[in-house]
Every structure is written in C-alpha cells, then in structure tokens.
Amino acid sequence: MSKLTSLGYMQCEDMQGFSAIAGPYYEKLESGIITRALEITEQHLNPQGVVHGGVSLAMMDFVIYRAIGDELSHDKQFATIQLNTNFLAAIKLGDIVYGRGSIQRSTRSVIFAEGELYTADRSTMKGSGIWKVLGGK
C-alpha cells in the first residue's frame, strides 16, 4: 500500500500513455483545493540518486494540465505549447512530491497557467506556461 493512500490520497483515474509510466500520480480534494502527489521510488531517480529532472518536468505538466481540467472541464481538450520551469531543490528517494496548479488567465484559444511542486519541507519547482485549446470535445 502506498504512503499516499494512508494519507487519504486516491490514485488518479484514467492514467494512460506516458502519465501511467511516469507515476503513479495521486490526488486529494481538501477544503476545495485539489493537490496531486507522487511517491518517489527508485524508478524516478537519476544515476546520482536524486529525482531525474524529466520526472519533475513531467509532473509539473501533469499537475497544471489536470488543474486546467478541474477549472474548465476535463472534457475540454488542450495541449501544452510552452512550459517554463525553475528547479529549486533536489528531490530524494522516499520523498512525497505534492503539486498544485491554477489558471491565471484564459481566452477562447489559449490558457495561461502556473504550478508549484513541493515536499513536506521545501519547494522543489515552480512553473508557468501556455496551453492551446484544441477543437473537438
């Protein structure tokens, strides 16, 4: 059983493709705010024994993408066209990384959003970006 399950987190549903491989991601709704989380295992580490930068980047994209869906609709389709990030601290084996995202501004064709990843004691990454609203659903 995951540490996250014991903390009241539920594994995210509908994980397909790369998100299913990069995770597993969890989420929890508390006081109207959804927090996503990832428990760091050996599969997330680089050869130096800390989390691979690509894991943090993938989680940041996932956290913001899901936050956009939470606000606008998970039926709406959109794609990342720009993601700017700053690495702030290393993440280690056994850490739980939490993430939250939010929309800053939205138009009919693009969405501007930002997010943060953090552990229990430090911020590990901040990010912002632009998502293109796609046709379809």
Side-chain angles (χ1 to χ4, degrees):
M1 179 161 105
S2 169
K3 286 184 205 174
L4 288 165
T5 304
S6 65
L7 294 172
Y9 283 79
M10 303 285 292
Q11 192 164 348
C12 294
E13 296 179 3
D14 300 325
M15 293 287 90
Q16 300 172 12
F18 183 75
S19 292
I21 296 168
Y25 296 115
Y26 291 78
E27 61 190 3
K28 181 179 181 180
L29 175 62
E30 200 168 40
S31 301
I33 298 171
I34 298 177
T35 303
R36 269 66 192 213
L38 173 66
E39 185 177 348
I40 301 303
T41 64
E42 289 188 13
Q43 76 177 14
H44 301 113
L45 303 180
N46 66 19
Q48 287 74 42
V50 296
V51 168
H52 190 286
V55 172
S56 294
L57 292 167
M59 184 172 178
M60 178 64 75
D61 189 51
F62 174 79
V63 163
I64 296 174
Y65 179 88
R66 292 287 289 229
I68 292 169
D70 294 341
E71 277 192 57
L72 298 181
S73 169
H74 288 285
D75 290 332
K76 192 169 225 165
Q77 295 179 338
F78 40 90
T80 310
I81 57 175
Q82 180 177 327
L83 180 59
N84 304 308
T85 59
N86 291 305
F87 291 89
L88 304 174
I91 305 167
K92 300 175 182 135
L93 181 65
D95 281 348
I96 294 176
V97 182
Y98 303 95
R100 291 190 184 145
S102 62
I103 294 174
Q104 301 307 299
R105 188 166 71 91
S106 178
T107 71
R108 289 187 308 134
S109 60
V110 293
I111 301 160
F112 300 86
E114 65 183 18
E116 179 179 12
L117 303 182
Y118 54 94
T119 64
D121 61 351
R122 65 195 175 282
S123 181
T124 63
M125 176 179 272
K126 292 203 178 192
S128 63
I130 304 169
W131 282 256
K132 173 73 176 155
V133 177
L134 305 174
K137 295 183 182 180

